[in-house]
Amino acid sequence: MTTSWRHPGAFGCMIGWYRDIASNFKPGAFTVAFLLLPFLTDYLLAPCLAQSDSERSVLLPVPTNLSNYQRPFDELSRLAQWRIMIHGLRDAPLDPRVWGIRVVDRSENRQLVPMRPFFLRASEQADFQLDKVLIDFKFRRVGKGMMHRRPDTYTPMIDIGFSGVYKKGAPGERALKDSSYLVRLSGSPLFDSGLFYSSHGKLAPIIVEEQLNLEAGDNYRVELLFDKNQLRLLLNNQELLVHSGKDFRTGLVSLTTDWHPAKIEKLHLTGSLSSTGESVVFEYSKAKQ
Amino acid sequence: MTPKVGLLKTLLYIIALGLPLLVFIVPLPIADSYYHGWRLGVLAFVLYTIIGAGIFGSFLARNLSSETLLRSFATTSLVLLLLVVLLSLFFDWELPFALGFVLLWFGIFLFSLVDNSRIRIRGLMTFLIALAILCSFELTLSAIPERYLIDQVVVVPPLAERERSEALYEQKGFRGERPCTDCSEQAIRIFTMGGSSTYGIPLYYSTGTYSSVLGRMLEERRVGESFEVFNAGIAGHGIIQVLHSIEASIIEHKPDIISIMSWFNDSAPGPGWWGVHGKSDRDAYIQLRVLWTLQNWWLYQQIHSTRAYGLFRFYVLRSWEHLAPLLSSGKEEGKGHPTRISPKEFRWALEEVMKLGKEHDFLPVLILEPLHRTHPVEKMLEKNRYYQVIFDVSKKYNVPLVDTVTPMSKRQDQWLFYDFIHPNLDGHRLIAEELYDTLLTKSKVARDFLHSRGVNLDLPELKRHYHYQFESDKLAHSTLEFNIRAPYLAEFSTLLNFYVNGEIIGEPKTLSSKFQQFKLAIPEQALKTPIVDIAFEAGAVQTAGMEPYKLRDTDRYSPVHLEVKSGGKDYGWTVQVEANGKRLDPKTRGYNVVVLGGDSGKYLSSAAFDTFSSPEQSIKLIEYLESLSSFTENGEPPIVIIAVHTDGFHNVDSELLSQAVEKLGGSGKLPGPFESYALIGVPGAAPGTAIEELGPRLVELSVGSEEITRAKLLEVQEINF
């Protein structure tokens, strides 16, 4: 089945509930329940379902078979290892329970690992607030000459997206809304690093920071610290970028790297659920690593 | 006792002429039932007759000087013949008969070698006799039932494998779209050809490919004209395979325009598509063309399908294949061609396509296949020799060139690809826009060609939805000005809505069929972000009567104009669900379901269930339909549209599905094998009240008015941007 909408199967739930009533209640209660049922369905249940539909995930669901993730990477067959490796960025597999791709970005993997943004599933929740992103990483070493000659293949780049909004459009049509703020860290002399705003893929620079241009092959630690109306960026513990004026904590959080691989050693995100005050931490699940 | 010459002569005559006649006439029908032995039988009979006459002549010429030998030979022959006849009484007779016959003629062959110095045509006779023995041998093998022979001898492998893209087109058709059988003859057929970038790898849904996007653009913008766009891309194809596919598969579909996007695969290291080491794709192709032609020859097919050749192939040729690598130095095997084809060969192939275009009256259109984060086209031209060839050929043959590199390079910092070469959805959309613009605006050649095909180029460019992106700094201090009209407005009126960052701003403006000037100043509060998305579209159409929008007896009205089409395998082989002219179906075999909001008519969901492939899909379809019954939009149940593509009969749980369809207002009747079926219903409607049609014909349903849909098409002139 190919579908762009997954319903929770409310009809089945209703039938089950109806049967429970019929088997446990006496005839009088049954009659009352029978009369109440349409009311409940039309005025209570249906609006709830409609609302849940409008808030439905734009991400592909978590795969049902996660047995590969329960076992040590080295004990897996080559095929199982490959299945883990293809879910994520190049050279950096991501836990499908934590990270997912949009339905619209769904692709056949075959032998290649497509470049596409991976979204933090928790960030789809309206009450999720991102507090901190920490990534230890390095780009595979490559010369500047190659970056100039072959930007198609040799562009070291990582985009950390946040405060994203996505509203899907009709099949085959562009999204109604697809925007995000992102911090771009580029190791290529062809592309700037800094803070950008992206709308339907188009980028507008907010702050371009030369000190954020990286060297392929070197180890880096980038930290993004979100406070109310302020964003701070630290590279190797040195504060290089501060931006104020907007609350960046809510909205979709994403990661994207280019075809030139970035090896991620540590990925640590912390956030909280504003409705409950509960803190959440996402550690990099590298499977084998 | 010396036998009388007369008797001996008679016996020899019988052996030389009579036996072949008997031997071949009798087993012919039997051999033919196993194999095609009769042709060989006739051939062998003719040969034997000639040989027999020659031998008989030689006997006369030599005055029977070898009487003893002849006597023993004749005696042996008679004994063998008798033995054959006796054996054939007890066994599967044609086999021993044929074996005996081989022995008989082997004896004759020996005899001819013993003392035939006076025969002037000895060499020819020997050849003919050898051929006759071979024919006998083949007949013998033919008589052996297939089950006793190894497969490699019985199954005749082709000399050269059939080009696999031909089989792919035959089995799977084109990606996402099949040639429709109910389209008008005037429909313009566009084929997009190339490798995986054209096919759309790794896109999961075909609707995102530039071919599909182009199709939708043409559907929406070219009102009243008919276009069909087919994605004929095949992963791995280079220009040589494109050339072959055009000749072998595409021409028969009567293309009007063939766009070709290829160079990357051609520049890949060899061995190429056919895996021939040390040869370019072009050389391999030329070699293969010879083999393809050769294996279609009648004589070749006759020889190759013999079992004698099968044995030769299996025991001799196959052995040689194993032996050859051992005897060779090993250098050849590892030696590949540097690229699949050189730029020179690339030019040759492109020119061949140009010739085909003239011969078969189609317009070739060349597309520059872009790379991820590509440099500008000027720079790419300096270093990419394939690009240079494409430019040269397009100039030389005056065919349209689609420069996708320039728009891609302007967006070099964006994510337009899945990897270094395969575009993502945005990349495909960009290619489609450039292709559309080239065909209908930029290229005079393309415009003239389309004009000659009946396309009205005076029609304005129309869209339902315009989308712009600006730097906010610019917008903050300026006012945008447009001239906008809805040329199809007549007895209706429509409203124009402006969106900034996805939110409607200001009051809707009333449109007319004449141009009106609109000014748009972006309010400060909308300038929250560095980029401002600005969009506008025609909103609701105000119409006097809603009766055409009524959903038959369901007491419900559709907020939008609907067009639904379903074609079973032999009845159009198609599916189409359009709401206000926008296509929404997943274009997939089986049940296509589209769900629209009952209040707004907006698209909510779609799903496809290929029930033809498995019964599980039928269960999922029923679950999906059941789940819709509890869904509402502002208290209104949704509008559910079902349309079957190809087949909705096989693997379907008819009882459960009937019940599910009845809950949508359907009659509960389901389509037969490969029949069409379409329904526009509402969850909760009484059975039989929905709009529904099915049967062995192309089914088309319509709700509302196409005129009103057209009324929402806009023409925009940008004045101050």
Side-chain angles (χ1 to χ4, degrees):
Chain A
M1 181 185 82
T2 55
T3 175
S4 53
W5 175 52
R6 287 178 176 269
H7 201 275
F11 185 78
C13 296
M14 276 167 50
I15 294 293
W17 182 43
Y18 184 84
R19 278 180 184 156
D20 285 347
I21 291 169
S23 59
N24 295 330
F25 280 49
K26 291 180 179 177
F30 178 81
T31 310
V32 172
F34 188 81
L35 291 171
L36 274 175
L37 190 59
F39 170 79
L40 290 170
T41 311
D42 287 355
Y43 294 98
L44 295 177
L45 188 60
C48 290
L49 288 168
Q51 190 183 6
S52 68
D53 181 66
S54 67
E55 291 170 2
R56 64 182 177 266
S57 175
V58 296
L59 305 181
L60 277 177
V62 180
T64 49
N65 184 0
L66 291 165
S67 57
N68 289 339
Y69 290 85
Q70 317 296 336
R71 295 167 56 199
F73 188 83
D74 293 336
E75 288 179 15
L76 298 172
S77 67
R78 287 180 68 85
L79 180 64
Q81 287 182 347
W82 179 76
R83 282 185 178 145
I84 281 180
M85 294 297 287
I86 58 169
H87 189 277
L89 312 170
R90 297 246 303 152
D91 271 13
L94 296 171
D95 189 335
R97 290 162 293 195
V98 179
W99 299 90
I101 57 164
R102 290 179 300 201
V103 175
V104 73
D105 292 327
R106 186 177 181 183
S107 66
E108 294 174 357
N109 288 309
R110 304 202 178 191
Q111 292 303 315
L112 59 88
V113 181
M115 299 185 299
R116 54 198 169 168
F118 274 77
F119 290 85
L120 186 70
R121 290 186 185 277
S123 66
E124 273 203 295
Q125 296 176 36
D127 65 340
F128 176 78
Q129 290 192 332
L130 183 65
D131 295 330
K132 181 182 171 185
V133 178
L134 183 150
I135 310 174
D136 287 346
F137 70 99
K138 71 171 177 182
F139 296 119
R140 189 182 289 174
R141 190 174 295 281
V142 61
K144 298 278 185 208
M146 284 305 281
M147 293 184 204
H148 274 288
R149 281 198 300 277
R150 298 282 308 279
D152 52 287
T153 307
Y154 302 107
T155 297
M157 184 184 284
I158 183 167
D159 281 356
I160 307 165
F162 45 88
S163 200
V165 182
Y166 182 81
K167 286 181 191 169
K168 75 182 193 104
E173 299 293 324
R174 66 188 306 157
L176 298 176
K177 179 87 178 165
D178 180 9
S179 67
S180 175
Y181 286 86
L182 56 92
V183 165
R184 168 167 288 184
L185 300 168
S186 164
S188 167
L190 295 173
F191 303 100
D192 292 331
S193 297
L195 177 66
F196 294 81
Y197 178 78
S198 156
S199 176
H200 287 99
K202 186 175 180 184
L203 293 177
I206 299 171
I207 301 171
V208 174
E209 177 55 64
E210 277 187 20
Q211 289 186 76
L212 287 175
N213 291 343
L214 311 181
E215 290 293 329
D218 291 356
N219 289 307
Y220 289 99
R221 164 169 288 192
V222 62
E223 282 178 273
L224 288 175
L225 303 171
F226 297 88
D227 203 351
K228 193 176 181 186
N229 293 332
Q230 193 183 56
L231 160 74
R232 291 194 300 137
L233 187 151
L234 284 75
L235 186 69
N236 291 346
N237 299 318
Q238 186 187 353
E239 187 172 285
L240 294 180
L241 191 150
V242 179
H243 185 66
S244 306
K246 189 181 184 309
D247 187 356
F248 295 109
R249 290 179 298 174
T250 56
L252 294 168
V253 177
S254 65
L255 278 180
T256 320
T257 56
D258 212 286
W259 187 248
H260 185 77
K263 191 150 186 81
I264 294 177
E265 294 298 331
K266 184 176 182 183
L267 176 58
H268 179 93
L269 289 93
T270 56
S272 59
L273 300 173
S274 59
S275 57
T276 60
E278 184 189 349
S279 291
V280 279
V281 178
F282 302 101
E283 286 286 354
Y284 184 29
S285 170
K286 299 205 303 178
K288 105 175 183 171
Q289 299 104 336
Chain B
M1 182 181 147
T2 308
K4 287 183 180 176
V5 173
L7 178 62
L8 192 63
K9 275 185 183 176
T10 308
L11 281 172
L12 285 171
Y13 189 77
I14 290 168
I15 293 165
L17 290 178
L19 272 184
L21 185 68
L22 285 172
V23 166
F24 281 97
I25 294 298
V26 175
L28 278 182
I30 298 135
D32 190 39
S33 68
Y34 283 117
Y35 215 44
H36 57 272
W38 67 272
R39 293 192 188 94
L40 283 171
V42 171
L43 178 66
F45 176 69
V46 172
L47 289 171
Y48 283 132
T49 309
I50 296 166
I51 296 161
I55 292 170
F56 187 61
S58 73
F59 293 153
L60 293 178
R62 286 183 291 140
N63 289 325
L64 304 174
S65 57
S66 304
E67 279 184 17
T68 311
L69 186 65
L70 280 172
R71 191 187 306 123
S72 63
F73 170 71
T75 310
T76 311
S77 299
L78 283 171
V79 169
L80 278 173
L81 185 62
L82 192 64
L83 188 68
V84 163
V85 172
L86 283 172
L87 283 171
S88 52
L89 289 175
F90 298 98
F91 298 103
D92 191 5
W93 73 278
E94 70 271 16
L95 180 61
F97 199 103
L99 280 170
F101 186 71
V102 170
L103 291 173
L104 187 67
W105 278 101
F106 188 64
I108 294 176
F109 177 62
L110 288 176
F111 166 72
S112 69
L113 296 177
V114 172
D115 185 12
N116 54 2
S117 55
R118 294 185 191 179
I119 302 173
R120 290 177 186 173
I121 50 172
R122 179 179 173 181
L124 179 64
M125 287 297 290
T126 308
F127 172 73
L128 290 175
I129 288 170
L131 205 59
I133 289 171
L134 197 64
C135 292
S136 305
F137 182 56
E138 171 59 18
L139 269 184
T140 309
L141 288 172
S142 307
I144 301 172
E146 264 186 24
R147 61 181 179 276
Y148 297 123
L149 292 170
I150 50 173
D151 288 347
Q152 289 92 329
V153 173
V154 179
V155 179
V156 184
L159 186 60
E161 289 291 343
R162 190 185 178 207
E163 170 49 32
R164 59 183 187 268
S165 43
E166 287 173 43
L168 274 173
Y169 287 135
E170 266 181 29
Q171 289 163 13
K172 298 189 174 178
F174 307 111
R175 187 177 187 191
E177 192 88 28
R178 289 179 186 277
C180 72
T181 50
D182 63 326
C183 286
S184 73
E185 284 294 311
Q186 278 72 43
I188 292 170
R189 287 193 161 179
I190 302 173
F191 286 81
T192 59
M193 301 192 73
S196 51
S197 301
T198 299
Y199 179 80
I201 280 180
L203 286 175
Y204 193 81
Y205 302 106
S206 65
T207 49
T209 62
Y210 73 84
S211 176
S212 286
V213 178
L214 175 69
R216 284 199 299 277
M217 283 177 173
L218 290 164
E219 264 177 37
E220 180 179 307
R221 300 181 191 182
R222 306 304 306 180
V223 178
E225 287 163 357
S226 181
F227 289 86
E228 284 188 282
V229 186
F230 302 106
N231 184 345
I234 289 182
H237 262 197
I239 190 67
I240 299 289
Q241 291 75 41
V242 167
L243 169 65
H244 175 73
S245 296
I246 291 174
E247 277 185 301
S249 307
I250 305 298
I251 288 297
E252 67 185 81
H253 294 291
K254 298 177 184 167
D256 294 294
I257 293 172
I258 294 180
S259 76
I260 298 160
M261 189 166 88
S262 179
W263 76 264
F264 187 80
N265 285 343
D266 301 297
S267 69
W273 176 258
W274 292 288
V276 183
H277 285 270
K279 279 196 191 314
S280 71
D281 267 12
R282 177 182 176 266
D283 291 346
Y285 176 59
I286 287 172
Q287 194 178 40
L288 279 168
R289 270 214 311 212
V290 172
L291 297 179
W292 284 326
T293 310
L294 185 64
Q295 73 183 4
N296 286 332
W297 285 0
W298 178 85
L299 183 61
Y300 172 84
Q301 285 176 347
Q302 298 308 311
I303 293 171
H304 245 241
S305 55
T306 59
R307 288 186 173 176
Y309 187 81
L311 283 176
F312 175 71
R313 183 177 59 233
F314 183 69
Y315 288 108
V316 181
L317 297 183
R318 186 169 149 272
S319 305
W320 174 249
E321 279 174 17
H322 290 294
L323 206 60
L326 300 175
L327 298 175
S328 73
S329 61
K331 286 178 184 172
E332 284 296 313
E333 189 60 30
K335 189 181 162 189
H337 200 263
T339 57
R340 272 173 61 167
I341 60 169
S342 67
K344 194 177 170 186
E345 293 169 318
F346 185 71
R347 179 188 296 273
W348 171 84
L350 278 181
E351 292 187 343
E352 287 296 304
V353 173
M354 300 300 133
K355 287 172 195 164
L356 280 176
K358 280 185 183 159
E359 194 180 327
H360 296 280
D361 194 25
F362 67 80
L363 177 71
V365 176
L366 304 180
I367 305 176
L368 293 179
E369 188 178 19
L371 283 169
H372 175 47
R373 304 203 187 283
T374 180
H375 288 300
V377 73
E378 300 77 22
K379 193 169 179 180
M380 293 300 287
L381 266 172
E382 282 173 18
K383 61 176 189 175
N384 188 321
R385 289 196 291 156
Y386 295 89
Y387 276 0
Q388 292 164 12
V389 171
I390 294 170
F391 262 86
D392 288 350
V393 172
S394 76
K395 264 187 190 171
K396 182 178 172 185
Y397 289 89
N398 195 23
V399 295
L401 175 73
V402 183
D403 174 15
T404 58
V405 177
T406 298
M408 290 270 186
S409 68
K410 285 179 182 166
R411 301 174 67 180
Q412 197 185 17
D413 60 346
Q414 294 178 29
W415 301 96
L416 299 170
F417 286 77
Y418 278 116
D419 51 49
F420 46 87
I421 186 67
H422 298 111
N424 62 18
L425 289 172
D426 285 337
H428 274 282
R429 187 173 289 114
L430 231 155
I431 295 171
E433 281 169 5
E434 202 57 39
L435 178 54
Y436 180 92
D437 286 347
T438 304
L439 291 178
L440 287 133
T441 314
K442 291 181 180 172
S443 166
K444 187 178 179 306
V445 181
R447 282 171 61 83
D448 290 347
F449 181 85
L450 289 171
H451 183 66
S452 72
R453 290 288 201 272
V455 173
N456 182 4
L457 295 165
D458 297 329
L459 275 178
E461 282 295 315
L462 300 170
K463 294 183 192 175
R464 292 186 177 83
H465 181 90
Y466 283 78
H467 183 98
Y468 298 93
Q469 288 179 309
F470 297 95
E471 303 296 328
S472 56
D473 288 349
K474 182 182 173 186
L475 284 174
H477 308 292
S478 60
T479 301
L480 303 179
E481 289 179 55
F482 310 82
N483 273 343
I484 305 179
R485 68 168 183 152
Y488 288 103
L489 280 178
E491 54 193 296
F492 322 103
S493 65
T494 186
L495 302 172
L496 181 72
N497 289 319
F498 286 98
Y499 297 82
V500 175
N501 287 349
E503 308 293 332
I504 289 184
I505 60 159
E507 292 298 315
K509 314 285 188 300
T510 307
L511 276 177
S512 75
S513 59
K514 300 273 171 58
F515 276 116
Q516 289 172 263
Q517 193 169 8
F518 293 91
K519 291 185 180 179
L520 182 65
I522 309 299
E524 279 295 323
Q525 68 269 22
L527 291 167
K528 296 174 194 166
T529 53
I531 292 180
V532 175
D533 289 321
I534 294 176
F536 48 87
E537 66 180 7
V541 172
Q542 294 164 350
T543 174
M546 283 296 285
E547 203 50 35
Y549 288 84
K550 192 173 181 201
L551 298 179
R552 210 179 136 213
D553 299 328
T554 59
D555 294 332
R556 296 291 316 286
Y557 291 84
S558 167
V560 286
H561 166 56
L562 298 173
E563 294 278 351
V564 183
K565 196 185 278 186
S566 162
K569 182 171 171 283
D570 298 322
Y571 314 107
W573 208 350
T574 185
V575 71
Q576 192 164 315
V577 177
E578 278 187 1
N580 273 353
K582 190 173 277 184
R583 190 158 182 188
L584 301 173
D585 58 277
K587 289 188 187 176
T588 305
R589 185 175 64 182
Y591 284 83
N592 290 253
V593 186
V594 175
V595 185
L596 304 176
D599 186 43
S600 65
K602 282 188 177 169
Y603 166 84
L604 296 178
S605 162
S606 64
F609 303 90
D610 185 6
T611 47
F612 190 75
S613 67
S614 79
E616 288 154 22
Q617 291 287 305
S618 168
I619 296 163
K620 286 183 176 170
L621 167 65
I622 292 159
E623 285 173 358
Y624 184 78
L625 295 180
E626 296 279 11
S627 74
L628 297 173
S629 60
S630 55
F631 177 75
T632 59
E633 187 197 50
N634 297 330
E636 298 284 344
I639 296 168
V640 181
I641 302 150
I642 303 175
V644 164
H645 187 320
T646 309
D647 178 74
F649 173 80
H650 295 92
N651 297 322
V652 165
D653 187 330
S654 55
E655 194 179 336
L656 287 178
L657 185 58
S658 288
Q659 289 170 9
V661 165
E662 280 177 6
K663 288 173 187 167
L664 299 171
S667 63
K669 290 178 189 167
L670 295 175
F674 301 114
E675 287 185 357
S676 312
Y677 177 79
L679 173 139
I680 305 174
V682 179
T689 56
I691 302 173
E692 186 185 32
E693 205 175 318
L694 73 163
R697 61 186 174 280
L698 181 73
V699 164
E700 290 176 282
L701 306 179
S702 179
V703 173
S705 162
E706 191 183 340
E707 290 302 308
I708 293 173
T709 307
R710 277 192 186 189
K712 293 174 80 172
L713 289 169
L714 300 174
E715 185 184 1
V716 174
Q717 295 173 345
E718 296 146 7
I719 301 171
N720 176 23
F721 261 60

